[in-house]
Amino acid sequence: MTGKELLSKAEEARKNAYVPYSGFAVGAAALSKDGRVFTGCNIENAAYGVTNCAERTAIFKAISEGVREFAALAVVADTAGPVSPCGACRQVMAEFFEPDMPIYLGSMQGAGIQTEIKSLLPGAFTSKELKHKDDY
Ligand code: THU
């Protein structure tokens, strides 16, 4: 699957965004190494802090279905340039993505870039920092 195809899955998922507070709809699509696509949208809440971003929705859907290895992620929003994932989502990506795995950041205006988690979150805190890392 190409980056463009994965971005169009993210655009489709964006239509389901639940955004009564910000009005800012985001869509994401995570491709597992075994070829399955898990889509996600942002889901807001009257208690704003428990809002879930589109990226984490897609990644958590995949993880909860047993996926542990990812091949790519696409994210899209109505931004002038490529959408910039929030810090919490970058930390979740660092947990599950290989440093060089392609991440496609798009916009409804057509802008798009390919990046990777090692660039989005250099120096990430990961299991390597933990003493009991071998337990996992
Ligand atoms: N949001 C995402 O879903 N992903 C991002 O990468 C940035 C922010 C959501 C959270 C909230 O629902 C809205 O965008 C405005 O912050």
Side-chain angles (χ1 to χ4, degrees):
M1 174 165 296
T2 65
K4 268 199 169 157
E5 286 168 335
L6 201 59
L7 277 165
S8 73
K9 301 269 186 199
E11 267 188 43
E12 198 57 34
R14 182 176 170 274
K15 295 178 185 162
N16 292 326
Y18 176 75
V19 289
Y21 307 107
S22 75
F24 185 73
V26 186
L31 177 67
S32 61
K33 274 197 183 166
D34 62 8
R36 288 180 288 161
V37 174
F38 297 83
T39 59
C41 59
N42 49 336
I43 305 167
E44 298 186 342
N45 193 283
Y48 301 159
V50 297
T51 288
N52 211 63
C53 291
E55 297 90 319
R56 277 175 289 144
T57 303
I59 294 167
F60 291 161
K61 278 173 69 180
I63 294 297
S64 69
E65 295 296 320
V67 171
R68 291 294 181 271
E69 294 186 323
F70 291 90
L73 177 81
V75 193
V76 70
D78 191 11
T79 40
V83 62
S84 181
C86 83
C89 289
R90 292 177 193 220
Q91 182 64 31
V92 170
M93 292 177 202
E95 180 74 22
F96 297 111
F97 296 173
E98 286 159 10
D100 287 314
M101 190 204 80
I103 297 173
Y104 304 100
L105 302 177
S107 91
M108 299 304 287
Q109 324 291 332
I113 56 160
Q114 179 180 336
T115 184
E116 57 284 311
I117 193 58
K118 73 173 187 204
S119 302
L120 291 176
L121 191 61
F125 181 88
T126 67
S127 63
K128 288 194 292 295
E129 324 293 328
L130 298 173
K131 275 193 225 153
H132 38 274
K133 61 178 180 177
D134 294 336
D135 296 352
Y136 293 94

Short mmCIF file of all heavy atoms in Angstrom, two decimals, residues 12-37:
data_model
loop_
_atom_site.label_atom_id
_atom_site.label_comp_id
_atom_site.label_asym_id
_atom_site.label_seq_id
_atom_site.Cartn_x
_atom_site.Cartn_y
_atom_site.Cartn_z
N GLU A 12 -10.81 9.16 4.96
CA GLU A 12 -12.12 8.52 5.13
C GLU A 12 -12.48 8.45 6.62
O GLU A 12 -13.59 8.76 7.03
CB GLU A 12 -12.04 7.10 4.51
CG GLU A 12 -13.36 6.45 4.20
CD GLU A 12 -14.26 7.26 3.27
OE1 GLU A 12 -13.75 7.94 2.36
OE2 GLU A 12 -15.48 7.22 3.48
N ALA A 13 -11.50 8.05 7.44
CA ALA A 13 -11.73 7.93 8.89
C ALA A 13 -12.01 9.29 9.52
O ALA A 13 -12.77 9.40 10.49
CB ALA A 13 -10.50 7.29 9.55
N ARG A 14 -11.41 10.33 8.95
CA ARG A 14 -11.58 11.69 9.47
C ARG A 14 -13.05 12.10 9.47
O ARG A 14 -13.49 12.90 10.30
CB ARG A 14 -10.74 12.64 8.61
CG ARG A 14 -10.78 14.09 9.04
CD ARG A 14 -9.84 14.93 8.20
NE ARG A 14 -10.06 16.34 8.46
CZ ARG A 14 -10.96 17.09 7.85
NH1 ARG A 14 -11.71 16.57 6.88
NH2 ARG A 14 -11.13 18.35 8.17
N LYS A 15 -13.82 11.54 8.55
CA LYS A 15 -15.26 11.87 8.47
C LYS A 15 -16.00 11.46 9.73
O LYS A 15 -17.09 11.95 10.01
CB LYS A 15 -15.88 11.19 7.25
CG LYS A 15 -15.34 11.70 5.93
CD LYS A 15 -15.98 10.95 4.76
CE LYS A 15 -15.33 11.37 3.44
NZ LYS A 15 -15.60 10.41 2.37
N ASN A 16 -15.43 10.51 10.48
CA ASN A 16 -16.10 10.04 11.71
C ASN A 16 -15.65 10.80 12.96
O ASN A 16 -16.07 10.46 14.07
CB ASN A 16 -15.81 8.55 11.92
CG ASN A 16 -16.48 7.70 10.86
OD1 ASN A 16 -17.57 8.03 10.40
ND2 ASN A 16 -15.84 6.59 10.48
N ALA A 17 -14.78 11.79 12.79
CA ALA A 17 -14.27 12.52 13.96
C ALA A 17 -15.43 13.08 14.78
O ALA A 17 -16.40 13.62 14.23
CB ALA A 17 -13.35 13.64 13.49
N TYR A 18 -15.30 12.95 16.10
CA TYR A 18 -16.30 13.49 17.03
C TYR A 18 -15.67 14.73 17.65
O TYR A 18 -14.85 14.62 18.58
CB TYR A 18 -16.66 12.44 18.08
CG TYR A 18 -17.61 12.97 19.13
CD1 TYR A 18 -18.96 13.17 18.85
CD2 TYR A 18 -17.15 13.28 20.41
CE1 TYR A 18 -19.83 13.67 19.81
CE2 TYR A 18 -18.01 13.78 21.38
CZ TYR A 18 -19.35 13.98 21.07
OH TYR A 18 -20.19 14.48 22.01
N VAL A 19 -15.98 15.90 17.07
CA VAL A 19 -15.25 17.12 17.44
C VAL A 19 -16.19 18.29 17.73
O VAL A 19 -16.07 19.37 17.13
CB VAL A 19 -14.22 17.49 16.34
CG1 VAL A 19 -13.08 16.49 16.34
CG2 VAL A 19 -14.86 17.54 14.94
N PRO A 20 -17.16 18.12 18.66
CA PRO A 20 -18.11 19.21 18.91
C PRO A 20 -17.46 20.43 19.57
O PRO A 20 -18.05 21.51 19.55
CB PRO A 20 -19.14 18.56 19.86
CG PRO A 20 -18.41 17.44 20.51
CD PRO A 20 -17.43 16.94 19.49
N TYR A 21 -16.28 20.29 20.15
CA TYR A 21 -15.67 21.40 20.90
C TYR A 21 -14.67 22.17 20.06
O TYR A 21 -14.69 23.40 20.03
CB TYR A 21 -15.05 20.86 22.21
CG TYR A 21 -16.10 20.08 22.97
CD1 TYR A 21 -16.06 18.70 23.05
CD2 TYR A 21 -17.21 20.74 23.52
CE1 TYR A 21 -17.07 17.98 23.68
CE2 TYR A 21 -18.23 20.04 24.15
CZ TYR A 21 -18.16 18.65 24.22
OH TYR A 21 -19.17 17.96 24.82
N SER A 22 -13.78 21.46 19.36
CA SER A 22 -12.77 22.17 18.56
C SER A 22 -13.20 22.35 17.11
O SER A 22 -12.72 23.26 16.43
CB SER A 22 -11.45 21.39 18.58
OG SER A 22 -11.53 20.25 17.74
N GLY A 23 -14.04 21.47 16.61
CA GLY A 23 -14.38 21.50 15.19
C GLY A 23 -13.21 21.09 14.30
O GLY A 23 -13.27 21.20 13.08
N PHE A 24 -12.13 20.59 14.91
CA PHE A 24 -10.91 20.25 14.17
C PHE A 24 -10.86 18.72 14.00
O PHE A 24 -10.49 17.99 14.92
CB PHE A 24 -9.69 20.75 14.94
CG PHE A 24 -8.37 20.58 14.24
CD1 PHE A 24 -8.04 21.38 13.15
CD2 PHE A 24 -7.46 19.61 14.65
CE1 PHE A 24 -6.82 21.23 12.50
CE2 PHE A 24 -6.24 19.45 14.01
CZ PHE A 24 -5.92 20.27 12.94
N ALA A 25 -11.23 18.27 12.82
CA ALA A 25 -11.32 16.82 12.57
C ALA A 25 -9.98 16.28 12.08
O ALA A 25 -9.34 16.88 11.20
CB ALA A 25 -12.41 16.55 11.54
N VAL A 26 -9.57 15.15 12.64
CA VAL A 26 -8.32 14.51 12.26
C VAL A 26 -8.61 13.04 11.95
O VAL A 26 -9.46 12.41 12.59
CB VAL A 26 -7.27 14.59 13.40
CG1 VAL A 26 -5.92 14.04 12.94
CG2 VAL A 26 -7.11 16.03 13.88
N GLY A 27 -7.93 12.52 10.95
CA GLY A 27 -8.06 11.09 10.61
C GLY A 27 -6.69 10.44 10.58
O GLY A 27 -5.68 11.11 10.29
N ALA A 28 -6.65 9.17 10.90
CA ALA A 28 -5.38 8.43 10.87
C ALA A 28 -5.63 7.02 10.36
O ALA A 28 -6.76 6.50 10.45
CB ALA A 28 -4.76 8.37 12.27
N ALA A 29 -4.58 6.42 9.82
CA ALA A 29 -4.67 5.02 9.39
C ALA A 29 -3.32 4.37 9.66
O ALA A 29 -2.28 4.88 9.23
CB ALA A 29 -5.02 4.93 7.91
N ALA A 30 -3.36 3.27 10.41
CA ALA A 30 -2.14 2.53 10.74
C ALA A 30 -2.15 1.22 9.95
O ALA A 30 -3.15 0.49 9.95
CB ALA A 30 -2.10 2.24 12.24
N LEU A 31 -1.04 0.97 9.27
CA LEU A 31 -0.90 -0.27 8.49
C LEU A 31 -0.03 -1.25 9.29
O LEU A 31 1.09 -0.91 9.68
CB LEU A 31 -0.22 0.05 7.15
CG LEU A 31 0.09 -1.12 6.23
CD1 LEU A 31 -1.19 -1.79 5.71
CD2 LEU A 31 0.96 -0.65 5.05
N SER A 32 -0.59 -2.44 9.54
CA SER A 32 0.20 -3.44 10.27
C SER A 32 1.11 -4.17 9.29
O SER A 32 0.87 -4.16 8.07
CB SER A 32 -0.72 -4.43 10.98
OG SER A 32 -1.52 -5.11 10.05
N LYS A 33 2.16 -4.82 9.83
CA LYS A 33 3.10 -5.52 8.94
C LYS A 33 2.41 -6.65 8.19
O LYS A 33 2.84 -7.03 7.11
CB LYS A 33 4.30 -6.04 9.74
CG LYS A 33 5.39 -5.00 9.88
CD LYS A 33 6.72 -5.60 10.28
CE LYS A 33 7.75 -4.50 10.49
NZ LYS A 33 8.95 -4.97 11.19
N ASP A 34 1.32 -7.19 8.78
CA ASP A 34 0.61 -8.26 8.08
C ASP A 34 -0.46 -7.72 7.12
O ASP A 34 -1.31 -8.46 6.64
CB ASP A 34 0.04 -9.29 9.06
CG ASP A 34 -0.99 -8.68 10.01
OD1 ASP A 34 -1.38 -7.51 9.82
OD2 ASP A 34 -1.42 -9.39 10.94
N GLY A 35 -0.42 -6.41 6.86
CA GLY A 35 -1.22 -5.85 5.78
C GLY A 35 -2.60 -5.36 6.13
O GLY A 35 -3.37 -4.99 5.25
N ARG A 36 -2.92 -5.30 7.42
CA ARG A 36 -4.24 -4.80 7.80
C ARG A 36 -4.19 -3.30 8.09
O ARG A 36 -3.19 -2.79 8.60
CB ARG A 36 -4.75 -5.55 9.05
CG ARG A 36 -5.16 -6.98 8.74
CD ARG A 36 -5.65 -7.70 9.97
NE ARG A 36 -4.55 -8.01 10.89
CZ ARG A 36 -4.73 -8.30 12.19
NH1 ARG A 36 -5.94 -8.30 12.71
NH2 ARG A 36 -3.69 -8.58 12.94
N VAL A 37 -5.28 -2.61 7.80
CA VAL A 37 -5.37 -1.17 8.05
C VAL A 37 -6.32 -0.92 9.21
O VAL A 37 -7.45 -1.43 9.22
CB VAL A 37 -5.87 -0.42 6.80
CG1 VAL A 37 -6.08 1.06 7.11
CG2 VAL A 37 -4.86 -0.56 5.66
#
